[in-house]
Amino acid sequence: MVTAQSHAGKGSFDLHDVSVTYGSETAIAGVSMHIEPNAVTALIGPSGCGKSTLLRCLNRMNDELGNATVGGRILLDGVDVYDKEYDPVELRTKVGQVFQKPNPFPMTIYDNVAYGPRTQGIRKRSDLDALVERSLTRAALWGEVKKDLKKHAFELSGGQQQRVCIARALATEPEVLLMDEPASSLDPISTQQIEDTIAELKEYVTIVIVTHNMQQAARISDKTAFMLRESMEHPAFLVEVGETRTMFTNPGDKRTEAYITGRFG
Amino acid sequence: MIRLNGWSAIVILAAIGIFLAYGGARALGEVGFWTLVTGSEWYPTIAEPRFGFVPLLIGSAAVTITAIFLSMPVSLAAAVFISEFANKRVKEVAKSIIEFMAAVPSVVYGLIGIAIVVPGVKEAFNLDSGLNAMSGAIVLAFMIAPTIVSISEDALHAVPNDLRQGSLALGNTRWQTTYKVVLPSASSGVLAAVMLGMGRAIGETMAVLMLTGNAARIPGSLFESVRTITGTIAAEMGNVVQGGLHQSVLFTLGLVLFAITFLINLVADLVLEKQRRRWRR
């Protein structure tokens, strides 16, 4: 039996002057912020402002794009994840990701969720069973699928597929869960379910969520970071970051206020 | 217009079948289909000729299946490398090499086989002659590689990037991602690639004619000389009496070959279509 690991207090990020360059184009620059553990941090901003790019820095998925260079320092619980010695594969077991479009693997629900743990060498059936149940429960899907764990994941609805993906990411017991507009391709009811799930998840993991939807950020996040790219000649930057309630009622920057009240973006 | 083309393809296929059956009518009438297909002796030119296809079918099967087994691991590895690991430059170079391999005339493969593979097999296995099923299969393995590589590569390429990203984000290496997600996702396309390679192998004539030794008898091992269906038709068609029984038998043999390749390609196409439908969600 695998005991439920508690990462309480773990999974905090510190970003110091982070920049990302694709080839010769600098996409984002000068981002410094602290991401609190066991809280939901929302990254908001207009399209193309580098939210997703910044998110992908946190689990080094930018590495896979080939031509992206990340500058500055990113510390996870005080450890520089861009250190030459740091293995990105190792990092990704601590920092999971849920993508914009549900991307279950073409296999059963069970095998999808057990995918990460199996990679980590967990083979015992009872351990896997327990992990699958716990992860699906946390993703608020267990009740709906416990009888059809052998069902092919493609047979589920879009919302259910996305929650399989959340369960799959949770199954490796990460400290941080990155979510890139996880509800953008879903209907309102599925979106609601995903949001409810997120609210419960922060008990176990730190959540960083990119969202286009301001109301969603206001509803689900504790902290909000507003990013902006003012022109294509200049890289995107972090305008401000703070308590969500403050940001939405009394933003410190005029541009934040303008964006939040819907004057652009 | 497109529909017309589709129908014309079917009409042409049917016409080929009917033409072969017509050419083979005399043999089918005088010897009988069942006797031809199950007969184990092929002596077409003696006073009382025996027309049994079994040695030829076994010859073709031996060479084809061996070629597939030799070619599949290497071709699949090449496809995985090109699709999953090579950078853009290497990918382009590799693809043009594969295209070039497909463009080499089969008689040239035959000559290379005579020059290198036949003596090599003779040496390596300590045989009296290197002209046997194994030599044919080795050269054939190279000839079908372009088919297997390019179609498998297409199938791997068609696997959505989302899945690779999903797997990498779960702390899998690229290699783990390839064999745990990408390859299983592309499995039916890879299967189709192998089947199309098989169709190509069974229809190949010139190289096997030059390399397999052409003894039309049931071989005891891969190191004995064999005669394939295609080799038989090519070698004997020039020496038969027009309208004679022997010629008619060769037409029937062609009909059998046509049916086999048609079936293999049909199944491969169905499998490929299933693969395509999979990602249309």
Side-chain angles (χ1 to χ4, degrees):
Chain A
M1 179 74 204
V2 175
T3 50
Q5 268 177 275
S6 170
H7 297 307
K10 286 188 97 186
S12 71
F13 270 110
D14 281 291
L15 283 66
H16 297 292
D17 195 26
V18 172
S19 65
V20 181
T21 308
Y22 293 111
S24 60
E25 193 206 359
T26 304
I28 55 179
V31 175
S32 297
M33 66 186 282
H34 173 70
I35 294 171
E36 277 191 22
N38 295 94
V40 179
T41 302
L43 300 179
I44 62 167
S47 304
C49 73
K51 309 178 291 273
S52 301
T53 302
L54 183 65
L55 194 77
R56 281 198 301 269
C57 290
L58 303 181
N59 62 348
R60 292 186 59 174
M61 283 298 281
N62 278 331
D63 291 19
E64 303 300 331
L65 300 178
N67 62 346
T69 339
V70 177
R73 271 157 55 86
I74 297 178
L75 309 177
L76 172 62
D77 298 323
V79 180
D80 187 346
V81 301
Y82 277 87
D83 192 276
K84 278 202 175 63
E85 305 285 302
Y86 206 107
D87 181 6
V89 173
E90 168 83 25
L91 172 67
R92 291 174 197 144
T93 64
K94 291 185 190 161
V95 183
Q97 184 175 357
V98 175
F99 296 80
Q100 195 166 346
K101 241 179 71 192
N103 60 347
F105 301 134
M107 44 183 89
T108 64
I109 298 169
Y110 186 97
D111 288 338
N112 261 283
V113 181
Y115 186 89
R118 278 179 175 146
T119 305
Q120 293 171 329
I122 299 173
R123 293 262 170 250
K124 231 174 99 187
R125 191 74 197 186
S126 55
D127 290 352
L128 285 172
D129 286 350
L131 256 174
V132 168
E133 175 172 352
R134 186 163 65 239
S135 307
L136 283 168
T137 307
R138 286 179 179 177
L141 192 61
W142 177 250
E144 288 165 57
V145 300
K146 63 182 172 195
K147 291 209 177 64
D148 331 279
L149 292 175
K150 293 271 160 275
K151 203 164 154 183
H152 200 276
F154 286 7
E155 291 172 40
L156 299 173
S157 73
Q160 288 174 321
Q161 288 189 4
Q162 191 63 306
R163 281 181 284 150
V164 166
C165 295
I166 294 175
R168 187 176 71 183
L170 291 173
T172 60
E173 313 235 284
E175 296 168 18
V176 184
L177 188 60
L178 309 177
M179 303 179 116
D180 191 352
E181 302 193 39
S184 65
S185 65
L186 305 179
D187 61 88
I189 292 170
S190 302
T191 304
Q192 167 86 54
Q193 286 169 325
I194 301 275
E195 287 185 12
D196 293 346
T197 309
I198 292 169
E200 286 171 23
L201 283 179
K202 67 177 176 185
E203 196 184 318
Y204 316 105
V205 287
T206 306
I207 293 175
V208 185
I209 181 169
V210 165
T211 176
H212 228 77
N213 181 329
M214 234 93 53
Q215 283 74 31
Q216 187 173 60
R219 279 194 302 267
I220 62 175
S221 69
D222 304 300
K223 299 273 185 153
T224 299
F226 174 54
M227 292 181 71
L228 190 60
R229 184 169 199 176
E230 287 180 316
S231 73
M232 287 316 286
E233 288 80 48
H234 300 290
F237 58 97
L238 179 69
V239 178
E240 64 175 315
V241 52
E243 294 288 332
T244 299
R245 201 172 308 161
T246 321
M247 288 277 280
F248 278 84
T249 52
N250 188 17
D253 193 290
K254 280 210 158 50
R255 290 167 296 193
T256 314
E257 190 186 353
Y259 181 68
I260 287 170
T261 54
R263 264 185 275 151
F264 73 95
Chain B
M1 191 62 197
I2 291 166
R3 180 172 297 184
L4 190 73
N5 282 327
W7 280 110
S8 67
I10 292 173
V11 168
I12 290 169
L13 273 179
I16 293 173
I18 290 166
F19 169 75
L20 289 171
Y22 178 76
R26 189 176 159 197
L28 289 168
E30 285 182 28
V31 188
F33 181 71
W34 195 244
T35 316
L36 287 171
V37 173
T38 55
S40 61
E41 288 177 306
W42 180 261
Y43 297 118
T45 49
I46 57 174
E48 265 181 52
R50 312 256 172 78
F51 298 110
F53 290 172
V54 172
L56 315 177
L57 291 171
I58 290 178
S60 275
V63 176
T64 301
I65 292 168
T66 311
I68 288 284
F69 271 101
L70 292 174
S71 191
M72 196 168 69
V74 182
S75 301
L76 202 52
V80 165
F81 172 74
I82 293 172
S83 166
E84 305 298 313
F85 295 95
N87 64 35
K88 221 172 160 189
R89 251 192 111 81
V90 175
K91 194 178 280 194
E92 271 167 26
V93 172
K95 277 188 159 182
S96 35
I97 291 173
I98 306 266
E99 272 165 32
F100 177 76
M101 276 179 77
V104 174
S106 61
V107 68
V108 174
Y109 276 108
L111 288 172
I112 296 170
I114 291 281
I116 300 167
V117 179
V118 170
V121 167
K122 180 174 184 261
E123 272 303 298
F125 298 99
N126 202 12
L127 306 167
D128 296 333
S129 162
L131 291 168
N132 54 33
M134 183 54 85
S135 297
I138 290 171
V139 174
L140 210 47
F142 282 96
M143 298 177 68
I144 63 175
T147 307
I148 302 181
V149 174
S150 60
I151 295 170
S152 313
E153 202 264 326
D154 283 349
L156 294 167
H157 190 76
V159 175
N161 240 333
D162 296 10
L163 296 185
R164 292 185 185 85
Q165 301 258 325
S167 174
L168 290 169
L170 285 166
N172 284 267
T173 62
R174 274 188 167 231
W175 174 236
Q176 287 168 328
T177 298
T178 300
Y179 78 80
K180 287 170 73 178
V181 171
V182 182
L183 271 175
S185 303
S187 56
S188 42
V190 170
L191 181 68
V194 171
M195 297 199 70
L196 289 173
M198 194 189 265
R200 167 113 170 73
I202 206 163
E204 171 50 38
T205 307
M206 187 49 78
V208 291
L209 187 66
M210 292 166 77
L211 298 170
T212 55
N214 296 316
R217 52 188 174 76
I218 297 172
S221 80
L222 289 173
F223 300 105
E224 286 179 25
S225 170
V226 296
R227 172 93 75 88
T228 62
I229 300 173
T230 52
T232 305
I233 297 173
E236 295 178 11
M237 198 52 110
N239 309 324
V240 295
V241 181
Q242 287 292 320
L245 181 61
H246 187 183
Q247 190 196 38
S248 181
V249 168
L250 292 180
F251 268 92
T252 314
L253 191 54
L255 185 66
V256 170
L257 178 66
F258 177 68
I260 293 170
T261 47
F262 180 77
L263 272 177
I264 291 174
N265 280 285
L266 186 71
V267 173
D269 264 0
L270 293 176
V271 173
L272 267 182
E273 185 53 36
K274 186 183 141 215
Q275 164 94 7
R276 279 192 206 105
R277 230 177 290 130
R278 187 172 205 172
W279 304 121
R280 233 181 268 146
R281 47 164 177 135

